[in-house]
Amino acid sequence: MGPQPPRGAAKSLVGPSLKEGAAAAVALAPLAPRGSSGLCSPHSVLTQRPRQKLSRKAASSANLLLRSGSTESRGGKDPLSSPGGPGSRRSNYNLEGISVKMFLRGRPITMYIPSGIRSLEELPSGPPPETLSLDWVYGYRGRDSRSNLFVLRSGEVVYFIACVVVLYRPEGGPGGPGGGGQRHYRGHTDCVRCLAVHPDGVRVASGQTAGVDKDGKPLQPVVHVWDSETLLKLQEIGLGAFERGVGALAFSVADQGAFLCVVDDSNEHMLSVWDCSRGTKLAEIKSTNDSVLAVGFSPRDSSCIVTSGKSHVHFWNWSGGAGLPGNGTLTRKQGVFGKYKKPKFIPCFVFLPDGDILTGDSEGNILTWGRSLSDSRTPGRGGAKETYGIVAQAHAHEGSIFALCLRRDGTVLSGGGRDRRLVQWGPGLVAFQEAEIPEHFGAVRAIAEGLGSELLVGTTKNALLRGDLAQGFSPVIQGHTDELWGLCTHPFQNRFLTCGHDRQLCLWDGEGHALAWSIDLKETGLCADFHPSGAVVAVGLNTGRWLVLDTETREIVSDITDGNEQLSVVRYSPDGLYLAIGSHDNMIYIYSVSSDGAKSSRFGRCVGHSSFITHLDWSKDGSFIMSNSGDYEILYWDVVGGCKLLRNRYDSRDREWATYTCVLGFHVYGVWPDGSDGTDINSLCRSHNERVVAVADDFCKVHLFQYPCARAKAPSLVYGGHGSHVTSVRFTHDDSHLISLGGKDASIFQWRVLGAGGAGLAPATPSRTPSLSPASSLDV
């Protein structure tokens, strides 16, 4: 007979008491909330009201614990061990060795050791033999970025999302039947914001935003110049020279790309010119306090640079200073609109072969700027002999013009925002041909010319379209447009389903790398799970509603509401007879389910958690549930026996679990880092073969641990690429791939799992601290 609950436990359903069992203590140091938001702005939100509806991950137990009636919540200490001071770790072992204890923000969490484990020392201690290789990235950052779509000399399309620059080959390559292959440049440590392609069509410059690492230390913006054939980084430009981020980039053209112009995101939007081969700064000047949206060298004269943005077009004259670092000068002339209405924004421009410049603005107009002799009465700051003036205007679109593209045949393409039209213009701005982008893809964000008459179009709803003006366009890359949380994988196919704050529910084909279907939920989707039959899927929303949809017809077969707070987890039992729904109202709702999954009826409620439900798993026999909550409880429930709380948690130590997604438990407590505030891990998933555990953390990383992971400071393999907190990870049904979701970056990564000794095994370095894969690595 195992240890019994201490006196008073029957009256309090808030979690384990400090005196529950004689424990060996493994203390994760309690820390005050971090002053920094963490790498790439993860959002561990401190809350004053644990029951309030939370649109993001709830966090600190500092206030949640005030609601608990146990000795733990009142600061009681184990007579055998205490957490020690901030940053400390101390361990004490009793003779029985029946449990371990970890501390999160000073709260002790007791976990019982399974009877088959005689010593913790016999558990796996190293990193797993399996490794991950980035196979595919779903999505494109078109919603809020420009200069984000180009075609390389190789025919590959280059664009970015999160911290990854994607090189996509529409036809051929290692991709599945739905499209071509992808390669990835992964040298950046934070979100990429702009691109520029060298005149040779091979070298690429990519600029990233600023961020902070997991310790709150700033990560500085920088520009990488790299080879698109080898994915080797050739030059790192401007480390320590830019503020906030890199907003716009351009290579010079007239001198074979010898120079690079950069505009940063500081208040003054510093404009600088750099020597590409040496990485040295040749000139720098404060540009404007208004936002700068585009920059470019004149293709006929590298001493002429143009910038445009909020209410301005600026023409810069650059004197190189004999190529000596810092000796160059930049002088500015403002574009004068004269009798023409000054627009609020000028997002784009192109240089014409005759030297004129076309600008597209927020009024839907295309303005033609031509060279003219300067007025001697207003020589301007630079004293240049020539200036630019407006020589023609054409109203091209309803609403803003987001993109202009000069084609090889000398015609110009313009892309509209509100009207979503693509228009081809000939000499004298005569419209030749046009097409309209379907509304569900959004507005035109960027245009690139492919092979022959083919065009690539990036949209504001994060889709990449391919086609031409005559035949129309079809999507080759699609993605979500807002924060992602919900993820589940199909029980026997290489498909997975995602949902998030954009209210879209998307089913993805992992083999074809394509969107199978998408529907509008009308509300935010936060969690989902497939029925074991694969015929239906349950989706939990932020209002307490949950839906069951037929995966073939996409029809809603069930629509039920439990409470009025958000749902954080839905999970079918392994036999498909029950559905468990974890809510932020602290309850787990249990439903009986028909054999086809289409019908559900309330079976009972699991009542006893003192905070919102975060994770839950079913036992392999479908009779029991293990659940975690926002104040770090681990509770066990007898569902078949009437949704009863199992007060003696020691009796559940040997229970086998069909899935392991709970972030707290003996088998996974080693994944928690030192000094964690309890919110650093957002999601966890054990592989179906029970060999590895994948972890999604708050610092943009995916970790791979051995399973079980029940030793403190367990080493892991760490993989970067996401540009925001990673919200969820799940293995596909055959463990061939791992899917991970970026939160605010709205990215979906599909990782190939490479087994020990398997073909194509990629070497990986064990690490206890986050690290990015080398920029030069080629994904297998």
Side-chain angles (χ1 to χ4, degrees), residues 232-286:
L232 287 171
K233 182 169 63 177
L234 305 176
Q235 194 68 254
E236 191 172 82
I237 290 178
L239 185 64
F242 309 128
E243 291 186 26
R244 297 182 185 167
V246 178
L249 290 169
F251 281 104
S252 60
V253 179
D255 42 31
Q256 291 77 49
F259 306 108
L260 181 72
C261 187
V262 183
V263 181
D264 74 6
D265 285 332
S266 64
N267 289 338
E268 297 83 11
H269 296 95
M270 301 299 294
L271 172 68
S272 53
V273 179
W274 299 76
D275 184 311
C276 293
S277 60
R278 298 182 178 88
T280 54
K281 182 165 58 179
L282 304 178
E284 183 180 51
I285 193 172
K286 294 179 181 179

Side-chain angles (χ1 to χ4, degrees), residues 43-45 54-59 485 612 679-682 698:
H43 53 274
S44 299
V45 182
L54 298 177
S55 61
R56 295 189 176 94
K57 179 184 61 167
W485 281 97
F612 52 89
T679 67
D680 295 333
I681 293 177
N682 297 318
D698 226 22

Side-chain angles (χ1 to χ4, degrees), residues 20 30 63 77 106 167 183 306 394 460 462 480 511 529 625 634 694 708 764 769:
E20 188 177 24
N63 298 297
K77 295 184 178 180
L167 296 89
R183 297 186 299 140
V306 177
T460 56
N462 294 353
H480 283 272
E511 292 183 359
D529 193 37
I625 282 177
I634 308 172
T769 57

Side-chain angles (χ1 to χ4, degrees), residues 16-40:
S17 167
L18 276 173
K19 297 180 182 179
E20 188 177 24
V26 181
L28 291 184
L31 291 180
R34 293 188 301 273
S36 167
S37 61
L39 179 63
C40 312

